[in-house]
Amino acid sequence: LAGAKKVLSDMLAADPPVYPDLRTANTFLRGCLKLGELPEADEFYAQLPNWGVVPDAATYKIMFQLYGQGLRLKDMLRMLREIEGKDSALQGLDNAVGLNHCTAQVACLLGQRKAGRKALERASEALSRELTSDAQFDQLRRRELTREVKILQKSLEEEEDFDLVGALQRTLAFPSLRGGGGCQHDEVYEALRRGFGIEQCFQRELCAEEDFRAQLRRCFRGASLRFPRIFGTKKSVPTKLEVCSGTGDWVVAQAAAEAGKANWIASELRYDRVYSILTKAVLARAD
């Protein structure tokens, strides 16, 4: 991201300045999503009006993914109100259904079931509409979104709360270590703070910051991880690792199937995929 920011800075410092266009803006925001740089995305998005950039459907989709990754339910609901009635913003199933599904998912994770049900109702209504001209693609995407909506509906029917904090405490976000070396718990905490919604957990009093950081410290011995403390297991069970876990369907299913028999680790480079894995694990109640 540093390289992209340098290019942007050079563009703005030129005489006359060269402002980013919509494609550039969406590319930068997508990079923030993948790299877990939510504060950078906020700062950049706020500048779009000054550069004469009007957000499109892709922009709103990326921002919703960023807000979702940050567990920022209020910002998601605010943006839904802002774009209500804007056909260009809600173009395609990914936005008409996806934005509401994303909102419902975050509401569910935070225990806000009423807001989650309302968002799911809007998603279901959008799914019931006729196919667009891209009928074949819509049919495939519609099946995927329908499956995701049904999973969330089933989760909302359950009375037991989800262990979002526990899942975040087992999520270790490491900063880039291209130069080699180890990583301490404070660096992991900062990467989690920038890339995920742990501050929302503190603000909503789902947990205390000092308790969260204390648990994170217990999971490290210097730059080494202490897996029994990460998983909270007393008996000796094998620890299994999936490299490049994608969006997490397979590894979450394995963790659920082998609960108590093995500990599973999902590894991914992209923060947006880590969030997808985390969300699926929480909703499946898989440790």
Side-chain angles (χ1 to χ4, degrees):
L1 194 63
K5 290 179 64 178
K6 175 66 167 55
V7 172
L8 181 63
S9 178
D10 291 345
M11 289 169 57
L12 298 175
D15 187 17
V18 179
Y19 298 117
D21 60 10
L22 179 60
R23 178 170 297 204
T24 304
N26 287 345
T27 300
F28 185 90
L29 289 171
R30 195 173 288 110
C32 291
L33 176 68
K34 294 178 180 180
L35 297 172
E37 288 292 348
L38 306 189
E40 295 282 1
D42 276 334
E43 183 179 337
F44 184 86
Y45 183 74
Q47 293 296 320
L48 296 189
N50 300 331
W51 299 329
V53 177
V54 179
D56 67 354
T59 316
Y60 288 119
K61 179 182 177 181
I62 298 166
M63 288 306 300
F64 258 80
Q65 289 174 305
L66 284 158
Y67 287 153
Q69 199 165 292
L71 300 176
R72 290 162 54 177
L73 180 59
K74 290 182 179 179
D75 286 323
M76 300 173 86
L77 294 172
R78 171 186 55 77
M79 185 167 280
L80 275 176
R81 290 191 295 269
E82 287 178 5
I83 65 177
E84 188 175 4
K86 292 183 180 179
D87 291 338
S88 60
L90 295 171
Q91 182 180 8
L93 281 171
D94 272 331
N95 278 23
V97 180
L99 300 190
N100 284 296
H101 174 264
C102 187
T103 303
Q105 199 172 59
V106 172
C108 191
L109 292 176
L110 293 173
Q112 303 296 309
R113 294 175 180 268
K114 183 177 180 181
R117 290 190 180 97
K118 285 184 177 180
L120 268 185
E121 287 174 6
R122 293 192 295 268
S124 298
E125 181 184 347
L127 275 171
S128 67
R129 295 172 191 159
E130 293 181 4
L131 295 175
T132 68
S133 57
D134 298 323
Q136 188 61 43
F137 175 80
D138 266 8
Q139 287 175 354
L140 296 173
R141 187 63 180 133
R142 187 181 297 271
R143 284 199 290 269
E144 292 175 1
L145 288 168
T146 299
R147 180 176 65 87
E148 292 175 8
V149 166
K150 286 182 177 179
I151 290 172
L152 198 50
Q153 286 173 334
K154 183 179 178 181
S155 298
L156 279 170
E157 291 171 0
E158 300 173 0
E159 295 298 326
E160 185 182 352
D161 289 334
F162 297 102
D163 187 15
L164 173 62
V165 173
L168 284 168
Q169 287 176 331
R170 294 187 296 274
T171 302
L172 304 176
F174 297 96
S176 176
L177 296 173
R178 292 180 183 272
C183 187
Q184 302 294 325
H185 60 82
D186 286 338
E187 297 170 282
V188 171
Y189 176 81
E190 179 60 20
L192 278 172
R193 188 190 66 78
R194 293 182 67 85
F196 297 101
I198 58 173
E199 289 185 337
Q200 289 295 318
C201 294
F202 306 150
Q203 293 172 17
R204 293 173 178 272
E205 299 183 346
L206 300 180
C207 66
E209 182 177 6
E210 55 269 27
D211 293 339
F212 190 97
R213 301 194 72 159
Q215 170 59 20
L216 190 59
R217 282 195 297 271
R218 285 194 288 269
C219 294
F220 280 79
R221 180 185 287 117
S224 300
L225 295 175
R226 308 173 80 175
F227 288 118
R229 295 194 176 188
I230 292 173
F231 291 108
T233 53
K234 294 182 179 180
K235 65 177 183 178
S236 178
V237 296
T239 297
K240 301 180 180 181
L241 166 69
E242 184 190 27
V243 179
C244 300
S245 298
T247 56
D249 291 285
W250 188 84
V251 71
V252 170
Q254 290 301 115
E258 296 189 350
K261 300 177 182 178
N263 296 323
W264 273 91
I265 300 172
S267 66
E268 253 301 334
L269 289 174
R270 286 172 46 173
Y271 277 62
D272 55 330
R273 289 178 177 172
V274 172
Y275 173 72
S276 175
I277 297 166
L278 179 144
T279 302
K280 287 173 181 174
V282 172
L283 295 178
R285 305 186 192 283
D287 297 333

